[in-house]
Amino acid sequence: MSFSDSQDPPAADALAPAFAECRRNEAPLVDVRSSRWDGATVELVTREATRVSEGEMCVPAHVVSLLCDGERRGIVNWVDDSKAVQIAMRPGWIRVAPAGARVHSRWNPGRRTYLLAFLDPIAFDGVRAECGLPDDWRLPVLSDVRRESLRTVLLALAEEVRAPAMGSAIAGAALVRQLMVEVLRLAAGGVAGGEPVRGGLSGHNQRLVLDLIERGLAGPLTLDRLAAATGLSTSHFAAAFRQSMGEPPHKYILQRRLERARALLRDGRLSLTEVALEAGFGGSSQFAMAFRRATGLSPRDWRRIAMEAPDDRSGKGEE
């Protein structure tokens, strides 16, 4: 969905890090900081409303929200078509909304700072499978969450975004994974995990899955689909794949998509948007974020350097 025609939309460069086209907020933006780690984009946002303001969000990612500063009374919240509820938000207030949920809010004038953790559903599902939750388990809406361990992880992430320091890439990635586990523990309640998988995929299943991934890179590749091809449950498959390949399925698929993108960029015949789609990324924005995170360069800059390299070698020779 798009909110591009909404009144007083946020500046494109301010919210570009995560799903700007799927978010609307009438309260003026004071500050926004963003960090990306494997499986998540985390934003620390400050807004100041001078009048009663409304906002709406519907993004293709699970969203964990934490109010960091600015007590807010009289806020009206609702998710999808549920009944609007008036609440009082104080620092530490947490909400979890699954991917695709439409979240609405209306609040009184004042300043507030909040953290938004956008969790990639594929990465989250991989952790869900590793935790042994049933294949048909789905993340519910969780509002006004009171869980100290979850709040502690979110505050630690906020600090990494606010003041990144030596080792932030390592610390942030670990915190994202811990956040996913905390959300799963909270949402699953008393659901017990499965037995750990001791062995990896059989040789036949490994070849089958890797071939399926290679042939299906341009389209959606879900854990359910890959697991079904092997005849294993999703949780069993995810654990067996990690045992065999040394990394979870979503990470392996991302690396293969990036490798295909590099080959297509080097070839030079497709536009950047076409490369993004052919490599299986949802669009040029998602592709650019993933590519820059992996290489430190935008796809356009990487292509320019790659296209210049053959000319250098065919000229006066290597220096």
Side-chain angles (χ1 to χ4, degrees):
M1 66 174 299
S2 172
F3 298 133
S4 57
D5 58 349
S6 63
Q7 180 182 5
D8 192 18
D13 58 344
L15 288 181
F19 314 112
E21 69 279 8
C22 302
R23 297 160 63 179
R24 175 180 67 86
N25 201 310
E26 295 176 346
L29 185 66
V30 176
D31 183 57
V32 59
R33 305 184 188 192
S34 176
S35 294
R36 302 184 187 94
W37 294 283
D38 184 34
T41 295
V42 182
E43 290 181 357
L44 193 61
V45 182
T46 300
R47 291 184 179 275
E48 185 163 13
T50 56
R51 55 183 173 81
V52 174
S53 303
E54 294 195 11
E56 188 175 27
M57 175 170 59
C58 181
V59 301
H62 304 316
V63 186
V64 185
S65 310
L66 168 72
L67 181 64
C68 300
D69 186 50
E71 183 171 322
R72 313 296 295 121
R73 294 184 179 276
I75 298 179
V76 177
N77 265 244
W78 66 101
V79 178
D80 291 332
D81 296 323
S82 64
K83 181 181 178 181
V85 178
Q86 185 164 319
I87 60 176
M89 290 172 59
R90 298 177 177 82
W93 186 91
I94 299 171
R95 176 179 57 212
V96 179
R102 188 187 299 266
V103 180
H104 312 255
S105 57
R106 183 186 303 126
W107 55 89
N108 293 327
R111 175 180 289 219
R112 62 178 184 148
T113 298
Y114 54 93
L115 178 133
L116 296 171
F118 298 93
L119 306 181
D120 174 57
I122 296 178
F124 186 84
D125 200 45
V127 176
R128 186 274 310 160
E130 289 184 67
C131 289
L133 288 172
D135 297 346
D136 59 353
W137 187 89
R138 295 294 180 267
L139 181 65
V141 175
L142 303 167
S143 191
D144 197 13
V145 172
R146 303 176 188 276
R147 190 181 182 95
E148 185 60 28
S149 57
L150 178 57
R151 188 176 74 90
T152 299
V153 175
L154 290 169
L155 288 174
L157 275 170
E159 189 59 30
E160 292 295 336
V161 175
R162 181 184 292 111
M166 182 184 68
S168 280
I170 301 171
L175 286 168
V176 165
R177 191 166 174 83
Q178 186 178 352
L179 172 60
M180 292 182 180
V181 172
E182 287 292 341
V183 170
L184 285 164
R185 286 175 173 172
L186 171 70
V191 178
E195 290 296 319
V197 176
R198 298 184 181 181
L201 295 170
S202 68
H204 170 74
N205 276 342
Q206 181 172 320
R207 290 190 296 272
L208 178 68
V209 168
L210 296 186
D211 180 64
L212 184 60
I213 289 173
E214 290 302 312
R215 290 187 288 107
L217 280 178
L221 284 169
T222 64
L223 275 177
D224 289 343
R225 179 185 173 193
L226 296 175
T230 65
L232 301 174
S233 70
T234 305
S235 57
H236 190 144
F237 167 75
F241 186 97
R242 187 185 184 100
Q243 182 76 10
S244 293
M245 304 302 297
E247 58 186 353
H250 78 273
K251 203 166 193 176
Y252 177 87
I253 292 170
L254 175 61
Q255 292 306 316
R256 293 300 304 133
R257 284 180 166 152
L258 288 169
E259 288 176 21
R260 173 170 289 187
R262 291 189 190 99
L264 293 171
L265 288 171
R266 193 180 292 111
D267 179 73
R269 287 180 290 182
L270 299 180
S271 68
L272 295 180
T273 299
E274 289 171 330
V275 169
L277 297 176
E278 185 65 25
F281 293 94
S284 54
S285 172
Q286 182 187 4
F287 172 48
M289 286 192 294
F291 196 88
R292 184 181 289 277
R293 189 185 311 145
T295 67
L297 296 170
S298 69
R300 187 180 304 279
D301 288 343
W302 193 95
R303 165 179 270 177
R304 176 178 53 77
I305 295 170
M307 297 291 281
E308 289 173 355
D311 294 335
D312 293 339
R313 289 195 297 270
S314 62
K316 295 182 180 180
E318 297 180 356
E319 297 184 1

